[in-house]
Amino acid sequence: MANLSKIKREKMLEYLENLKEQNNDDENIRAITEIENALNEKKYGLVWEEHSEKVDEELIHNIPIFVEEEKRKITAKKNEAYNFLLEGDNLHSLKLLEKTHKGKIDVIYIDPPYNTGKEFVYNDDLIVTSDSYRHSKWLSFMYSRLKIARELLDAKGAIFLSIDDNEFSQLKMLCDEIFDENNNVANFCVIRAEGGGMAKQVIKGHDYCLVYAKDIFSFSPLAKEKDIRGKIVEKDKIKYWIQEDWLRKEFGKYGNCHYEEVLQYKGEKVKKEIDDGLQNGEYVLIPKSNGMNIVGKLRRLDQDSSKFYSILKHLNKNGINELKELKVEFDYPKPSSLIKELVSGATFFLDRKEATVLDFFAGSGTTGHAVMQLNKEDGGNRKYILCTNNENNICKEVTYQRLKNIQEELPHNLKYYKTDFIPKFSYDEESISDKMMKHIRELIELEYAIELDSKKYIILDDEDKLDEIISKIENDGKLFVRSGIFLSRSNQRMLEEKGVSIIEIPEYYFRDELKEVGEL
C-alpha cells in the first residue's frame, strides 16, 4: 500500500528544490532550508509545542551546586551509608545527580503532578484546564527531567511512574520515545479507593503505574518464581531459577535451540550440564515434554519476591493514615505499601538488595519511608535519594519531618542539601574553579553515600598536609585527592598498608563548566 503522506512530502520537497534554483540568494535559501527541515521532522510519535522553563534558563548564566544544611543531618547509625534529601527544583538536582550517579541508580519511582488543573505549577503559574497549551507545558516539563532520569538508570534498572487519566496517554508515548517502547515492562492499574469515585460520567477508583526498564533483557521480572515459566534447581544448597520466557524473546527461538546458536549469539561459554557448576547469567537448555528445548538463563534466588498482577490495590486512605500517625499533613499521599511492593519486586534478586532508589517528585517522602521499611523486613541495605522543591515549605515541614519522625522505628542516616548557584561570570578575583572546589565536598558525599569526617573519609586539597593526613586517616578509609597533587610511592604504600583507597576527585564534576568559562 502506498504511503500517501510520504508521496505528498516528497512532492513538496521537490518543489522547494525548484524554488532554491530560482531564488538562490542567502536569505531565501535559509528560509527554504527551514521549511525543508520542518517537513523532514519526526512523522510518527508524540509532537507538542515546546516551552522553555525559567529553571532551565537560570542554568545559562549559573552553575548549580549543593549546600548542606548541617542542622538537619541525622546520624542514627555510625559507619553506615547516608541517604539524601535534596531541596530545590528537581531539574537542578537531576543535573547534579548526572555528575555523581550517571548509570548508578537502580530504581526510580516518581509521582509527578497529574495536570488536573489544580496542582501543576509551571514558571510560577498554575496551569488550569482552560490553558490551550497545558499538555505541551506538562510534556516540556516532564521531557527534560525524564531524559536525565534515563541516563541515571543502571543497565539493570527500572523506572516506575504514577499517573492518572489526565496525562496517561501522553506520558506513555513520551516514555516510549525516551526509554524505547520495547522497554515498557508493564502498565499497572492501581486501585486507590474502595468502590471508586465519580470521574466525569463513570465510576473510577484507580490510577496507573507505568514501568520501563533501561534494558528489558537485563531487567529482572516483577514476579514470584511460580508466576514465570521455568523451574528451580539447587546446587550446593543454593537455589537457582531457570527462566524460560526471558531468553526465548532474546534469541527469538520457539522450539529447538542449540548451544552453538547461543554461543554464536552471546560469544560466551555455556555449560552443557547443570552439574558442571551454576553461575548467575549462565545459559542452559531446558528439556520440554514434547522433546523440544528452550534456552534459559540462571539467576540465583535469595528470597521470595512480591507477586505482581496487572492490578495493584493500595488505597489512598492508607497513605493519609500513615501521615496522620506521623503528625504530618499532605494532600493525596501515596501509601508506602505501593512503593515498597514496586521496589521489592525490582530489587528481588540478591545483587539488588544494595540498590539505590531515587524519587525526584518526593512529595511527602513516602519513597524514603518505604525503602527503610523494606530494609527492615528483608535485611537489605538499600539507600534513597529524594528530590523536592520547598514550595509552601513542603521539603522542610513535610518531607524532612516525616523522615525525622520515622527514626525511632526505622533509624537511618540522612543528609539534607539545598541547591544554590555560582554565577558563571562575575567580577570577583576568585576563580570559578576555586569557588566550585568549596562545594566538591557535597558531591563526593552524595556519590559515595558517606560523610567526609576528617577521620575515615578525607579530602586532600593541600599537598603540604599530606603527611599529617596519612598519619591520622583511619584504616579502610578513603582519601579523595585533588587533581594535580601527586603521591610518592612511599605515600601510596603507607596508605595501602592501612587499607585506604586513594580516589582522585573526578574532573567530570565541573569539567564542562570550567571549559565554558575558559578555566580548563
Side-chain angles (χ1 to χ4, degrees):
M1 296 175 68
N3 184 334
L4 299 179
S5 294
K6 183 181 179 183
I7 292 169
K8 184 178 179 181
R9 185 165 58 251
E10 287 174 347
K11 284 182 178 179
M12 288 189 286
L13 289 169
E14 184 179 348
Y15 177 70
L16 290 174
E17 282 297 319
N18 293 332
L19 282 181
K20 279 185 182 181
E21 293 176 6
Q22 299 168 25
N23 304 275
N24 55 9
D25 58 284
D26 290 346
E27 185 175 347
N28 279 320
I29 291 294
R30 278 197 297 271
I32 293 169
T33 301
E34 286 185 15
I35 298 171
E36 286 178 331
N37 290 339
L39 285 170
N40 286 313
E41 285 177 353
K42 180 174 69 174
K43 295 299 176 289
Y44 177 79
L46 189 62
V47 179
W48 71 93
E49 299 277 344
E50 291 188 32
H51 285 69
S52 63
E53 268 189 273
K54 287 181 181 178
V55 294
D56 213 0
E57 292 167 0
E58 285 179 311
L59 300 175
I60 296 172
H61 302 293
N62 297 283
I63 300 168
I65 56 171
F66 283 129
V67 178
E68 182 175 7
E69 282 202 7
E70 296 219 20
K71 66 180 181 180
R72 299 185 190 280
K73 179 179 70 177
I74 298 173
T75 306
K77 292 188 173 183
K78 288 188 176 181
N79 301 319
E80 289 199 7
Y82 276 83
N83 303 277
F84 289 83
L85 174 56
L86 311 178
E87 178 198 318
D89 191 278
N90 58 7
L91 183 61
H92 298 153
S93 293
L94 286 169
K95 286 186 178 292
L96 285 166
L97 283 167
E98 199 171 14
K99 299 175 185 294
T100 61
H101 284 77
K102 190 172 184 177
K104 297 178 182 178
I105 299 293
D106 300 285
V107 180
I108 298 175
Y109 171 81
I110 60 170
D111 184 21
Y114 288 1
N115 204 9
T116 61
K118 299 177 181 178
E119 89 301 4
F120 176 44
V121 176
Y122 191 80
N123 287 348
D124 301 327
D125 292 325
L126 178 68
I127 305 303
V128 296
T129 53
S130 59
D131 188 330
S132 57
Y133 291 107
R134 72 185 186 100
H135 293 297
S136 290
K137 290 175 181 177
W138 189 87
L139 286 165
S140 296
F141 172 82
M142 293 298 295
Y143 179 80
S144 57
R145 288 155 177 80
L146 291 177
K147 285 285 286 184
I148 300 175
R150 187 187 181 281
E151 294 302 308
L152 296 180
L153 278 177
D154 176 84
K156 297 179 180 178
I159 181 170
F160 299 83
L161 310 96
S162 286
I163 200 67
D164 76 354
D165 285 328
N166 286 281
E167 296 289 357
F168 171 78
S169 56
Q170 289 87 333
L171 182 61
K172 173 67 169 62
M173 291 188 73
L174 182 65
C175 289
D176 283 348
E177 180 175 319
I178 293 174
F179 297 99
D180 189 325
E181 63 180 314
N182 294 317
N183 289 320
N184 181 216
V185 176
N187 305 312
F188 294 127
C189 285
V190 182
I191 306 301
R192 59 179 174 81
E194 292 281 13
M198 184 61 74
K200 297 182 181 178
Q201 283 75 40
V202 298
I203 298 295
K204 176 179 173 291
H206 70 273
D207 290 334
Y208 307 96
C209 183
L210 308 184
V211 188
Y212 283 81
K214 178 74 171 282
D215 175 9
I216 195 72
F217 293 117
S218 299
F219 179 65
S220 301
L222 301 172
K224 285 184 177 178
E225 309 87 271
K226 66 182 181 180
D227 297 317
I228 309 171
R229 296 201 309 203
K231 65 178 180 180
I232 296 176
V233 296
E234 187 169 330
K235 175 72 174 178
D236 298 329
K237 297 184 179 179
I238 297 175
K239 289 183 178 180
Y240 292 83
W241 174 249
I242 305 180
Q243 191 176 309
E244 297 178 16
D245 286 349
W246 200 259
L247 268 294
R248 285 192 356 175
K249 272 188 187 176
E250 187 170 347
F251 289 100
K253 294 290 181 182
Y254 287 88
N256 282 319
C257 188
H258 303 288
Y259 286 101
E260 291 75 16
E261 292 173 295
V262 178
L263 289 168
Q264 183 179 7
Y265 184 85
K266 280 290 183 182
E268 57 185 272
K269 188 175 181 181
V270 181
K271 302 285 188 185
K272 287 194 175 183
E273 298 291 339
I274 291 175
D275 289 339
D276 288 350
L278 293 170
Q279 296 179 21
N280 283 351
E282 189 172 1
Y283 300 98
V284 297
L285 288 183
I286 303 169
K288 304 297 288 184
S289 58
N290 61 3
M292 305 180 85
N293 296 315
I294 294 294
V295 174
K297 189 174 186 178
L298 297 178
R299 291 186 181 275
R300 180 171 171 174
L301 298 181
D302 177 61
Q303 61 171 38
D304 282 348
S305 70
S306 298
K307 188 171 184 178
F308 279 82
Y309 297 94
S310 59
I311 296 178
L312 305 176
K313 187 174 182 179
H314 295 274
L315 305 182
N316 278 3
K317 67 179 182 181
N318 296 338
I320 294 169
N321 291 337
E322 281 181 338
L323 289 190
K324 282 183 179 178
E325 291 176 8
L326 293 168
K327 299 180 180 178
V328 176
E329 293 184 4
F330 185 74
D331 292 334
Y332 310 115
K334 284 288 183 290
S336 61
S337 59
L338 169 63
I339 302 172
K340 187 171 65 173
E341 184 172 9
L342 297 174
V343 172
S344 174
T347 60
F348 165 42
F349 295 105
L350 181 65
D351 60 340
R352 314 301 286 166
K353 288 175 71 174
E354 301 284 336
T356 300
V357 180
L358 169 66
D359 182 346
F360 52 90
F361 288 97
S364 66
T366 306
T367 297
H369 192 168
V371 168
M372 290 301 114
Q373 284 178 324
L374 188 56
N375 281 348
K376 182 178 180 180
E377 290 173 12
D378 68 10
N381 294 303
R382 302 170 187 85
K383 301 179 291 294
Y384 66 76
I385 299 173
L386 307 184
C387 311
T388 184
N389 59 35
N390 198 36
E391 184 181 332
N392 299 321
N393 288 324
I394 181 178
C395 190
K396 289 184 172 66
E397 295 181 3
V398 178
T399 323
Y400 174 76
Q401 199 60 42
R402 178 182 194 159
L403 300 173
K404 182 180 177 182
N405 290 355
I406 64 173
Q407 286 292 326
E408 185 174 346
E409 178 195 357
L410 303 167
H412 63 282
N413 298 336
L414 176 67
K415 278 181 169 284
Y416 187 113
Y417 287 176
K418 291 180 66 174
T419 55
D420 203 347
F421 298 97
I422 294 173
K424 290 181 180 178
F425 303 97
S426 69
Y427 296 105
D428 292 349
E429 293 185 5
E430 187 178 19
S431 68
I432 299 296
S433 177
D434 287 341
K435 288 179 181 179
M436 291 194 297
M437 274 303 297
K438 294 176 182 177
H439 299 282
I440 286 288
R441 173 190 188 93
E442 288 87 351
L443 295 182
I444 291 173
E445 290 183 340
L446 181 60
E447 180 168 359
Y448 291 90
I450 60 172
E451 178 172 43
L452 289 163
D453 55 6
S454 299
K455 297 176 183 178
K456 190 170 185 177
Y457 306 115
I458 303 177
I459 289 180
L460 174 61
D461 55 7
D462 184 347
E463 202 162 354
D464 293 337
K465 296 179 180 178
L466 178 57
D467 292 337
E468 175 192 342
I469 286 174
I470 289 176
S471 65
K472 76 175 185 180
I473 193 167
E474 296 177 356
N475 291 346
D476 302 317
K478 287 182 171 63
L479 179 62
F480 298 90
V481 182
R482 185 173 183 172
S483 179
I485 296 179
F486 299 97
L487 277 63
S488 68
R489 288 186 178 180
S490 61
N491 293 147
Q492 294 181 37
R493 186 169 57 252
M494 285 187 282
L495 290 168
E496 287 171 5
E497 288 173 357
K498 299 178 80 170
V500 172
S501 302
I502 303 167
I503 302 168
E504 185 174 348
I505 295 173
E507 281 189 5
Y508 58 73
Y509 281 163
F510 291 117
R511 180 173 53 213
D512 293 340
E513 290 85 349
L514 291 178
K515 280 184 177 179
E516 184 182 352
V517 299
E519 291 189 15
L520 191 65

